[in-house]
Amino acid sequence: MSRSQKLTPLDKRILNRIQQEIPFICRPWDKIAKSLKVSEPLLLKRIAFLKKQGVIRRISATFNPRKLGYFSTLVAIKVAPVDIEEVARKLNVYPEVTHNYKRNSEYNLWLALVAKNRLRIKRIIAKLKKDKRIKQVLELPAVKLFKVDVNFKV
Amino acid sequence: MPEKIDKKIISLLSQDISLCSRPFEKLALKLGIKERILISRLKAYKKSGLMRKFSVALNHRKIGFKHNAMVVWNIPDKLIDHSGSLLAVLTQVSHCYQREKAPGWDYNLYAMIHGKSKNECLNLIKDISRQISCKDYKVLFSSEEYKKTAAKYYSLP
């Protein structure tokens, strides 16, 4: 039924390892392969397969937006259930919208935004408020970060 | 502030990079710099905290973590650090922030909780709420993912 049942024990070991830091050396995969006691070509083959299956979304770095001079925030929106799909699609067009989830609450659409500056966020929010289908908008910027670490035990 | 070349590096690295034996050699070629320069810059970003993590991002639904709850608590300001630190050590919690309150929205502590079942999430949330002595909270399960991408840096108009 679920994809997790199709993962081999090796795939699970690989996934647990590569969710952690990938080292900044010439051949990072070779080093990881050695620690998993497999060959580099086999590791690359399994990662390519898991990527194709959609289990791996991407190989990338995450940055601290504030340290790059960017501004990030969370936005909660109240929208009539009949309009939610259409409004969500419209919001997805903004490259600043990184996450967009429907949630079971009076505020039913939740967006994460990363933008060049606060003004850009303010402009996007002002636009949202003009959309008649959107009943209410809350901007909920972070005051303090306690944790960001996405690392699932597979 | 990052220099021009740093902006290019950050823009590239924040999106999916190609899978090959020498990924930094390939990226360096694209950037027109030496592999060892790229590697030393990347190490510097990590050290300064500009970069949080270079790793693989998974689709958690596809590895069995099908349920994802955003929990919001209304915590007195003086207790928020204690509560946040308590949440931060839990492996099921991927994100935890203190956020500003808003009119009609009195919640200030946020956590993303992942589980293989709704009950697993709910039990953990009950446990946490007891530990931080907070009864004023909401659990918002996600029912649809409309978008989930990496932030784009230095590539917007």
Side-chain angles (χ1 to χ4, degrees):
Chain A
M1 182 193 86
S2 88
R3 296 241 184 223
S4 58
Q5 286 163 357
K6 287 185 201 156
L7 296 173
T8 67
L10 174 62
D11 290 341
K12 292 185 182 182
R13 285 205 297 134
I14 292 173
L15 292 172
N16 284 330
R17 171 61 190 87
I18 64 181
Q19 285 181 85
Q20 293 161 37
E21 307 282 345
I22 297 167
F24 296 128
I25 52 175
C26 292
R27 293 179 60 189
W29 302 113
D30 185 58
K31 188 173 181 188
I32 291 174
K34 283 195 173 96
S35 76
L36 294 169
K37 298 189 167 57
V38 294
S39 71
E40 187 192 28
L42 175 61
L43 176 68
L44 292 175
K45 206 177 114 189
R46 292 315 297 170
I47 294 176
F49 172 77
L50 292 166
K51 224 173 154 182
K52 209 174 154 194
Q53 295 290 304
V55 175
I56 293 175
R57 282 186 201 263
R58 64 182 170 268
I59 306 163
S60 63
T62 51
F63 293 88
N64 181 336
R66 275 183 203 197
K67 287 204 173 179
L68 296 178
Y70 276 67
F71 191 85
S72 65
T73 196
L74 180 73
V75 172
I77 294 170
K78 206 184 277 185
V79 50
V82 289
D83 294 326
I84 198 162
E85 301 272 336
E86 220 182 298
V87 171
R89 244 195 313 273
K90 189 184 149 191
L91 296 174
N92 280 353
V93 174
Y94 289 101
E96 289 89 352
V97 171
T98 59
H99 297 66
N100 183 355
Y101 283 91
K102 180 179 177 179
R103 296 191 180 276
N104 61 334
S105 151
E106 43 168 344
Y107 287 93
N108 46 1
L109 206 52
W110 289 78
L111 309 173
L113 285 105
V114 177
K116 266 184 181 167
N117 48 51
R118 185 144 198 178
L119 184 66
R120 181 73 191 135
I121 301 240
K122 289 276 168 222
R123 282 198 177 134
I124 294 173
I125 289 173
K127 262 196 181 163
L128 299 186
K129 285 181 174 165
K130 279 186 193 146
D131 189 322
K132 288 198 170 60
R133 295 167 297 183
I134 294 175
K135 308 292 172 215
Q136 208 144 6
V137 181
L138 301 179
E139 196 198 339
L140 306 160
V143 175
K144 190 168 182 174
L145 166 69
F146 292 109
K147 183 182 193 178
V148 195
D149 188 17
V150 186
N151 197 345
F152 298 101
K153 179 89 182 72
V154 184
Chain B
M1 278 310 270
E3 294 171 33
K4 204 172 163 191
I5 186 66
D6 297 312
K7 292 185 177 179
K8 280 192 188 168
I9 296 172
I10 291 163
S11 168
L12 268 181
L13 263 286
S14 62
Q15 304 301 313
D16 191 26
I17 67 153
S18 66
L19 181 65
C20 59
S21 178
R22 293 187 68 164
F24 304 119
E25 183 186 48
K26 199 167 177 178
L27 285 167
L29 200 70
K30 220 177 191 174
L31 292 157
I33 57 174
K34 288 201 163 69
E35 182 187 25
R36 62 178 174 80
I37 301 288
L38 174 61
I39 287 178
S40 77
R41 296 252 168 171
L42 294 174
K43 283 181 178 163
Y45 304 155
K46 188 81 223 298
K47 205 174 168 193
S48 68
L50 207 68
M51 183 192 286
R52 285 190 174 136
K53 195 176 167 189
F54 176 56
S55 66
V56 158
L58 304 187
N59 181 336
H60 41 82
R61 283 161 210 259
K62 293 206 174 179
I63 51 165
F65 289 86
K66 294 201 188 308
H67 299 275
N68 142 261
M70 185 179 78
V71 189
V72 296
W73 289 271
N74 175 6
I75 302 270
D77 280 342
K78 62 177 190 324
L79 296 178
I80 206 151
D81 281 351
H82 171 74
S83 311
S85 334
L86 208 136
L87 277 155
V89 296
L90 300 172
T91 53
Q92 299 95 328
V93 172
S94 62
H95 298 70
C96 181
Y97 288 93
Q98 177 186 352
R99 294 186 178 278
E100 284 176 22
K101 292 182 175 181
W105 188 261
D106 278 334
Y107 304 99
N108 54 353
L109 182 65
Y110 289 65
M112 298 295 315
I113 290 175
H114 305 267
K116 294 190 174 174
S117 71
K118 258 192 177 170
N119 262 334
E120 191 185 306
C121 294
L122 289 170
N123 287 335
L124 179 67
I125 293 161
K126 263 188 226 154
D127 250 24
I128 295 169
S129 304
R130 233 190 333 259
Q131 279 188 61
I132 62 177
S133 317
C134 181
K135 286 183 181 147
D136 186 8
Y137 66 93
K138 262 186 201 293
V139 181
L140 294 86
F141 279 102
S142 73
S143 49
E144 197 82 50
E145 179 185 284
Y146 295 119
K147 191 178 188 181
K148 187 180 192 329
T149 54
K152 287 191 177 70
Y153 297 110
Y154 307 120
S155 53
L156 299 177

